[in-house]
Amino acid sequence: MIGKETFHKISVVFLYLFFVLSPFSISLCQIFAGASIFFFILDSIYRRQFPSLEPNLLIWILLYLGYLITPVLHWDTTNWKQTLLKSEFGDVWMAFLLTFHSRLSPEEKTGLKGAIRLGALALILSGILSLLSPYRLAPFVMDGFQYLEGRRLPHLLVHFLDKVSLYLPIGFQSTHLTYGGLLAIYLPSLWERTAKGWFIAKKKQKYRLSLIWYLVLSSLGVFLLFLNQSRSIWFGLVFGLFLISLHKKVSIKKYLPILGLGFFVLTILLFLFYQNNWLFQRAIDDLFAKRSLENQRVWIHKMNFAILKDFYIFGIGSGNYSFEFIEKANVIVARLPELYYDLSITPKSHAHFDLIHFWLLGGIISGISFLYFLYLETKNILEDTKHTIFYLGFFAIVFAGSFQCFLLDDEVLLPFLGILCLLPARKKRENFTGSKFTFQNSKNIFLLLFLWILISFLGALYLTKTPETELFVHRARTKHNFPTALAQASINASLPVAVQKGTGELYFKLSGCLDHTINFKETQRVRKTPVQLKIHWEEKVEGELPESLVLEIRKRESFDQDKEYRVQAERIVKTENFVHLRSKQTIQVDPKDHLGNELEFIDFGFLYTWKENVNPYLPRIEITGNCD
């Protein structure tokens, strides 16, 4: 016979399983969250006691309802099945996790916090496994503990002693960003427990073993977070700690020595890691690179603000971001054909900025709803003065959401909403603290949050001011495809480039242009005009230009390497020799020659040779964006 608490207890059990097992699978995450909400609804119907609709729940639902304004205005042309079930609006059901906030008892919330610590343990164990595994864990397990040809492999971090290899830790997740987001949500539960254990162990020695256990787990979590290289999460956690220290009025001077020592040690570790790990080196370099193959936020924000300019009131509607992105990109490609490839491989699924994405889809209503939701939840967290560290992940995700759309990732969004339902109910919180929250007491926290969102928004807008012609460059690379600054300096230079004295020969490859004309709406066709460049051998220099040149005409595949996770194959199709040149040389390649089965690049290889004991100079190479 069904008791009065049966459905409620079942919903709590599923919620417990949701927190523990979310690190293993997005499917498990959705199933247990959905089952918990389902039994919660059954419990409400059985009791005839429907949950109170708190402001945070209503505001989050309003955010999603904003996605439907434009589809409703164009109801006759809207694919409603696609819009309601297979787009961003389909995630609206997750909001109902927030209904647990007022229904769970303090004891149940305490138990669920224990589940989050177990989930953190699962996250750490899976991270260690992925650190050591040459295969991605999720597909490897799904394929029956075997590797199937063509499956993506993990990024190699380091290989030492010719025996041990370490890989980018991502647990059972598909990307390092998702794993980093989950670490940000789960690890603070261990840090809070470690901090409490520290003070308890000082008074009671029997708790020292427990302290050591949590200290080891916390350290492993920080280590994995460091190796995971989710830079936005790193800075997000630091930002969150800063906000909490302001709220708790922590004296920074008191901790300056240990902070200074920690900063010094961290700087040394970062430097050593930067010098010895190409993946980390790329991650840091991209922070300061105006143009790089990996950093495509300039293009993304150019499209974002172009769309926002036209749809800032009502938005574009759920599921329409990719379409509108391509519409705006196609205008650029029509004017500058050489930009097609860079735009084609730029991610088009989301705006890489949570606030901007919500605004783009739902207009002003969704944008304001998101900001108000942040205010409400920040207020709730600051009211729970004894457990603010536990909710540190909230601030980390909000901060990091200015670089990636973490709240569009189900694996991150579900636990993000889940931990918020563990905040004390308002009445119980007031009874416990004996005082009410006032905006005046924490105005600096809200001011800093607002300033960060404003500054990051203006920063994204600033990126759009970069001229489109400056975003394309013909890249010079070594034989093994590493960038070569020396050769790059000779591309479209104003003068010949000096080379280190004693250099006998120099080889590099230069990326050219596609052998087909193509945009986002038309079928590709073989390019009619030749691909060409000019080598300025006629200019006088203080030293000597190369005595000879072996020029390679190369063909290279054009698929998205990050998506396919394999290197573009390339081949030499023709070789030409030039000796004792003193005049400008125009090199032309007919796109019809050496056609492959797919769209390909026509590239060039240069092998310059100088006489002995001369001051060598590289001739400047003139090449337009579209190789015209």
Side-chain angles (χ1 to χ4, degrees):
M1 187 174 179
I2 298 176
K4 185 177 180 180
E5 295 288 327
T6 301
F7 290 133
H8 175 73
K9 289 180 179 179
I10 294 175
S11 71
V12 173
V13 169
F14 277 117
L15 196 59
Y16 193 97
L17 293 173
F18 156 70
F19 282 125
V20 173
L21 299 178
S22 286
F24 292 111
S25 167
I26 177 58
S27 298
L28 290 175
C29 180
Q30 292 171 330
I31 289 170
F32 288 125
S36 184
I37 293 171
F38 174 74
F39 282 101
F40 177 86
I41 294 171
L42 285 183
D43 178 59
S44 298
I45 294 173
Y46 184 77
R47 295 187 185 195
R48 297 182 181 180
Q49 179 186 350
F50 291 93
S52 58
L53 298 178
E54 297 187 355
N56 56 350
L57 170 63
L58 294 175
I59 289 297
W60 193 253
I61 291 176
L62 180 62
L63 186 155
Y64 277 84
L65 290 177
Y67 295 175
L68 299 182
I69 296 176
T70 295
V72 168
L73 293 176
H74 301 86
W75 63 271
D76 53 333
T77 58
T78 297
N79 183 339
W80 285 103
K81 182 179 179 181
Q82 181 77 22
T83 299
L84 296 177
L85 301 178
K86 299 181 179 180
S87 69
E88 293 91 343
F89 182 80
D91 291 339
V92 67
W93 66 272
M94 300 178 191
F96 291 97
L97 277 173
L98 296 172
T99 56
F100 285 97
H101 178 237
S102 59
R103 185 64 69 86
L104 293 171
S105 68
E107 293 76 19
E108 288 169 335
K109 289 181 179 180
T110 300
L112 289 169
K113 286 182 178 180
I116 291 179
R117 287 190 288 271
L118 284 177
L121 174 61
L123 206 58
I124 290 170
L125 291 176
S126 65
I128 293 173
L129 282 176
S130 63
L131 181 67
L132 302 173
S133 172
Y135 309 114
R136 289 180 177 249
L137 294 182
F140 183 72
V141 173
M142 289 173 60
D143 295 332
F145 295 94
Q146 59 179 333
Y147 172 72
L148 298 184
E149 189 68 31
R151 286 287 196 181
R152 294 181 64 182
L153 294 171
H155 289 286
L156 177 67
L157 275 180
V158 65
H159 182 72
F160 57 91
L161 302 178
D162 294 325
K163 293 181 179 180
V164 181
S165 296
L166 297 180
Y167 302 87
L168 186 71
I170 62 172
F172 281 89
Q173 282 58 56
S174 57
T175 71
H176 78 290
L177 291 173
T178 300
Y179 184 69
L182 288 175
L183 285 175
I185 292 171
Y186 277 88
L187 287 184
S189 65
L190 295 178
W191 299 343
E192 182 199 47
R193 190 59 177 261
T194 303
K196 287 183 178 179
W198 180 271
F199 293 106
I200 294 174
K202 282 183 177 181
K203 300 176 181 179
K204 301 179 181 180
Q205 292 188 359
K206 65 179 182 178
Y207 290 101
R208 287 187 177 180
L209 190 60
S210 174
L211 171 62
I212 293 172
W213 167 248
Y214 280 108
L215 195 59
V216 169
L217 285 182
S218 296
S219 301
L220 284 173
V222 172
F223 178 66
L224 289 171
L225 184 66
F226 173 72
L227 294 182
N228 175 253
Q229 301 183 25
S230 296
R231 293 159 290 168
S232 55
I233 292 296
W234 295 350
F235 296 128
L237 288 168
V238 172
F239 178 72
L241 284 171
F242 178 68
L243 292 182
I244 290 173
S245 68
L246 283 180
H247 179 63
K248 290 183 174 291
K249 298 181 180 179
V250 176
S251 174
I252 300 296
K253 291 182 180 179
K254 182 179 178 181
Y255 297 99
L256 270 180
I258 191 170
L259 287 174
L261 179 61
F263 180 77
F264 176 75
V265 172
L266 181 61
T267 302
I268 296 297
L269 288 174
L270 288 174
F271 177 77
L272 292 174
F273 210 56
Y274 179 84
Q275 293 294 322
N276 295 283
N277 179 251
W278 73 270
L279 195 61
F280 184 73
Q281 188 178 74
R282 188 185 77 172
I284 298 301
D285 288 347
D286 281 353
L287 288 174
F288 307 100
K290 183 178 181 181
R291 300 188 300 269
S292 72
L293 288 175
E294 294 80 15
N295 190 351
Q296 299 159 324
R297 284 188 180 82
V298 176
W299 282 124
I300 292 170
H301 287 311
K302 272 185 173 289
M303 301 304 109
N304 288 343
F305 283 94
I307 298 170
L308 197 60
K309 183 180 178 182
D310 295 337
F311 299 95
Y312 65 92
I313 296 179
F314 298 122
I316 58 178
S318 187
N320 292 324
Y321 180 79
S322 297
F323 174 80
E324 293 296 339
F325 185 106
I326 290 174
E327 286 290 302
K328 300 301 180 185
N330 217 40
V331 174
I332 297 175
V333 173
R335 188 172 68 255
L336 299 168
E338 61 267 26
L339 295 177
Y340 167 78
Y341 178 74
D342 284 351
L343 284 166
S344 70
I345 65 172
T346 298
K348 306 172 187 64
S349 58
H350 58 81
H352 282 67
F353 195 132
D354 282 324
L355 173 61
I356 292 178
H357 194 86
F358 293 141
W359 190 355
L360 284 173
L361 266 58
I364 293 175
I365 288 178
S366 293
I368 293 176
S369 295
F370 178 63
L371 293 176
Y372 190 53
F373 178 82
L374 296 186
Y375 166 76
L376 290 175
E377 294 299 350
T378 299
K379 180 169 70 71
N380 290 339
I381 290 171
L382 297 181
E383 284 181 316
D384 189 12
T385 55
K386 289 193 174 183
H387 302 284
T388 46
I389 291 293
F390 186 89
Y391 303 102
L392 176 62
F394 170 84
F395 297 111
I397 296 298
V398 170
F399 181 96
S402 297
F403 301 97
Q404 297 286 343
C405 283
F406 281 96
L407 297 182
L408 291 182
D409 186 342
D410 291 2
E411 287 186 84
V412 176
L413 177 58
L414 280 167
F416 175 84
L417 295 175
I419 64 166
L420 295 178
C421 77
L422 301 183
L423 284 161
R426 185 167 183 79
K427 290 183 179 179
K428 295 171 183 176
R429 186 162 58 238
E430 289 176 5
N431 292 335
F432 182 77
T433 60
S435 62
K436 291 187 178 181
F437 173 88
T438 62
F439 178 83
Q440 189 68 23
N441 294 339
S442 300
K443 62 181 180 181
N444 290 337
I445 308 297
F446 294 106
L447 180 61
L448 285 172
L449 269 176
F450 173 76
L451 281 177
W452 166 248
I453 292 172
L454 177 63
I455 290 170
S456 56
F457 183 86
L458 293 176
L461 179 61
Y462 174 76
L463 289 178
T464 68
K465 304 304 179 183
T466 307
E468 291 156 1
T469 52
E470 290 186 14
L471 291 171
F472 180 83
V473 60
H474 292 282
R475 299 186 179 277
R477 296 195 174 267
T478 65
K479 179 180 180 180
H480 299 292
N481 290 321
F482 290 102
T484 166
L486 180 64
Q488 190 70 58
S490 70
I491 310 304
N492 291 322
S494 55
L495 295 170
V497 178
V499 182
Q500 184 177 0
K501 189 173 182 179
T503 301
E505 64 178 32
L506 178 69
Y507 176 83
F508 65 90
K509 295 183 284 189
L510 178 65
S511 62
C513 291
L514 292 171
D515 58 9
H516 284 65
T517 301
I518 186 173
N519 60 32
F520 291 101
K521 290 189 173 182
E522 297 177 2
T523 305
Q524 65 187 46
R525 60 184 186 277
V526 178
R527 175 175 169 149
K528 294 181 180 179
T529 58
V531 171
Q532 70 172 25
L533 56 79
K534 297 176 182 178
I535 306 174
H536 287 271
W537 231 302
E538 79 284 4
E539 297 171 329
K540 295 182 179 180
V541 295
E542 295 179 358
E544 294 288 337
L545 292 173
E547 181 72 12
S548 64
L549 164 66
V550 177
L551 178 71
E552 300 168 347
I553 309 300
R554 309 175 66 93
K555 297 298 291 285
R556 173 169 53 91
E557 293 178 323
S558 64
F559 58 81
D560 184 349
Q561 295 182 106
D562 287 336
K563 187 176 181 180
E564 298 288 335
Y565 204 76
R566 57 189 178 94
V567 178
Q568 294 169 341
E570 50 187 324
R571 65 189 190 280
I572 300 172
V573 296
K574 185 179 179 181
T575 301
E576 297 183 33
N577 292 282
F578 300 88
V579 182
H580 304 299
L581 292 178
R582 291 295 178 266
S583 61
K584 179 171 65 177
Q585 295 294 310
T586 299
I587 309 298
Q588 292 187 334
V589 181
D590 190 340
K592 296 178 183 178
D593 295 341
H594 316 292
L595 284 174
N597 296 326
E598 302 291 341
L599 191 73
E600 290 184 308
F601 281 101
I602 297 175
D603 292 342
F604 301 91
F606 295 82
L607 177 60
Y608 288 121
T609 304
W610 287 270
K611 295 178 181 178
E612 294 183 2
N613 301 318
V614 299
N615 292 325
Y617 276 77
L618 278 176
R620 64 187 184 93
I621 297 173
E622 181 184 346
I623 182 171
T624 65
N626 201 38
C627 305
D628 295 318

